[in-house]
Every structure is written in structure tokens, then in C-alpha cells.
Amino acid sequence: MVHFDETGLYVTGKRMWLHSASTPQLTHYACHDQRGATATKAIGSLPAFGGRAIHDGFSSYWQYDCAHGLCNAHHLRELLFAHEQGQRTWAGQMQALLVEIKRAVDSAKAHPQTAALPATQVAAYEQRYVAIVQAGLEEERHDPPPPSGQRGRKKQHKSKNLLDRLAKYQAETLAFMQDFAVPFDNNLAERDLRMMKVKQKVSGCFRTTTGAHAFCRIRSYISTMKKQGHNVITALQSVFSGTPLVPDVPG
């Protein structure tokens, strides 16, 4: 189970992207001038990955044949907007359902021997999920986007884009209730990216590409050692002394 995410950073005044791959024990950062498939291929983690990738649904992740899991924290934020700002009834219903399932999973996790919700409960939740999607499609059909005044294909409402994603990736959205090892959200990756936002607020941008790559390598090591309970100063001292502490890599 690896969490993947990306965020913008600036190098020599130009926008680049910081890509992260995270587990509770390991962190890897890499910067690239692109956000999508070209970057993930160059970095190399995803093309060789055979587990389950947790992410926010960005299109480039779907080209890989590994299992996937979607971030439902993202879904809840989008559903809240669609319900409150777009007046979409289906969005409020889906939001309530996802929260209900999460609470059921959290309650079931209190029993260590339990690895998934009972099959009958899973089937009931899936049935309600499908019903909300169908109701949403009908609701969206009756409220098409206003004319744009431009030729070509008309843009959909953002709420319709969200609904299409939930319909297409139902299994990836609900994976957390059928396998408790799958998280509800991608918060681990978001926490690991937070330091880049702090970095940009403090120092603005990197002055060289070499410096940006060095930063990613150093921060990967620091974050990993912190996760594994090592003192960061001691770990860095070991690097400069020529006998670096080597992170444990779970098998």
C-alpha cells in the first residue's frame, strides 16, 4: 500500500512538480518539470509497483495495472461543494453514505480479527451507492450546464464530472470497506507534502535544478528516518561521518 501525490514547486522561477510516494515507514520525493505520465515514468516507482496505489484520481495514475484506491477526503470536499453550492441532492446523499460507511468500518476495526465488513453489509452499501449514482444521473440530466457561446463539445458541470468518476471507479472508492488495510483517504501523502508548502513560504523557490533534486533526496532521508523513530540529527551526523544509518525497508 503506497500513497502517491504531487504538488507544485518553483525552480529558477519556473513551475515544476514535487512527486511523493509514501508509506508509514518510508518517504520518497522527486521533482520533475511535468506532472503526469512522463514524470511518473522517469521517476520509476509506479511502473514497477505491484501493490495498491492510493491517490486522488489524477488521470496519469490509472495507466498502471496495479490495484488502486481513491482518496475519499477529496470526494467529501467535492461532494460538499456540489451539495451546498450546486444544490445537488445526490451529492448530499453520497456524502452521508460515505461517512456512514467510514463509521461502520471504524467501529468494526475495534475487533482485531476483522479484516472487512460482512458481505451482506457490503452488498447493502453497494446497492445504496448505485441507487444514489442513478438518481444523480437523472438529476444532472435535468440540469445541464448553461450554453458557453463557444463551438465544440459542451463542458459538463463539475458535479457531473464528480458523479462520472464515482460511477466509473466504484470499486476503488469503496475498497476501504472490503479490505481494512486500504485507508479511507490519502492523508498520509498530503502530510508528507506539507513540508514543501512550508519551504515555499519561507524561501520562495529553488535557485537551481540541482538544488531542488538535492533537497528531495535529503528530505526523503529525513522523513524516512523520522518515521522509523530515529533522531534526525544523529542520522545526519552518521551520513557526514561516512557510516550512514540505513533505513529499514519492510519486506
Side-chain angles (χ1 to χ4, degrees):
M1 202 79 60
V2 179
H3 296 247
F4 295 91
D5 206 352
E6 71 288 327
T7 190
L9 76 159
Y10 289 89
V11 181
T12 65
K14 298 179 181 179
R15 186 179 182 88
M16 292 186 67
W17 295 90
L18 177 75
H19 296 260
S20 70
S22 307
T23 73
Q25 298 84 28
L26 303 167
T27 307
H28 179 263
Y29 299 112
C31 62
H32 198 277
D33 58 1
Q34 295 190 36
R35 183 186 181 191
T38 301
T40 54
K41 182 178 179 180
I43 294 167
S45 299
L46 269 168
F49 183 57
R52 185 184 293 271
I54 308 299
H55 53 82
D56 59 7
F58 184 53
S59 58
S60 63
Y61 294 125
W62 295 112
Q63 69 174 300
Y64 298 105
D65 293 332
C66 60
H68 295 266
L70 287 177
C71 176
N72 283 300
H74 275 78
H75 288 153
L76 291 180
R77 290 194 289 267
E78 292 180 84
L79 289 166
L80 179 64
F81 181 85
H83 179 55
E84 294 187 349
Q85 302 299 319
Q87 303 300 309
R88 294 301 196 267
T89 301
W90 71 264
Q93 294 171 343
M94 184 64 79
Q95 181 185 16
L97 177 61
L98 290 177
V99 171
E100 180 183 338
I101 298 173
K102 183 180 185 302
R103 287 173 177 165
V105 169
D106 290 343
S107 177
K109 283 181 177 179
H111 306 282
Q113 72 277 11
T114 305
L117 291 181
T120 53
Q121 193 173 10
V122 167
Y125 281 137
E126 289 178 336
Q127 186 175 10
R128 290 171 59 188
Y129 184 101
V130 171
I132 293 172
V133 168
Q134 293 301 319
L137 291 172
E138 186 66 17
E139 186 176 355
E140 293 293 338
R141 187 176 68 83
H142 284 88
D143 190 10
S148 63
Q150 298 179 351
R151 294 183 178 181
R153 183 179 179 182
K154 294 181 180 180
K155 286 187 176 181
Q156 297 187 138
H157 275 301
K158 289 184 178 180
S159 58
K160 180 58 163 57
N161 291 334
L162 171 60
L163 182 61
D164 288 344
R165 188 194 323 144
L166 292 170
K168 183 176 181 179
Y169 298 113
Q170 174 180 333
E172 290 78 10
T173 300
L174 299 179
F176 72 98
M177 73 173 178
Q178 300 192 57
D179 180 358
F180 288 174
V182 179
F184 178 79
D185 52 46
N186 197 26
N187 286 349
L188 175 59
E190 293 185 358
R191 288 195 301 270
D192 282 344
L193 285 179
R194 198 166 296 148
M195 62 87 202
M196 176 50 64
K197 299 303 181 184
V198 176
K199 165 72 176 175
Q200 289 188 114
K201 288 181 179 179
V202 173
S203 59
C205 71
F206 294 96
R207 295 186 179 183
T208 66
T209 303
T210 300
H213 286 296
F215 176 85
C216 289
R217 187 173 184 179
I218 294 168
R219 283 297 313 191
S220 296
Y221 182 71
I222 289 174
S223 177
T224 296
M225 299 311 282
K226 286 179 66 176
K227 286 179 176 180
Q228 296 190 9
H230 294 281
N231 179 279
V232 172
I233 298 300
T234 300
L236 292 176
Q237 286 176 334
S238 74
V239 173
F240 286 106
S241 69
T243 55
L245 291 173
V246 179
D248 295 325
V249 180

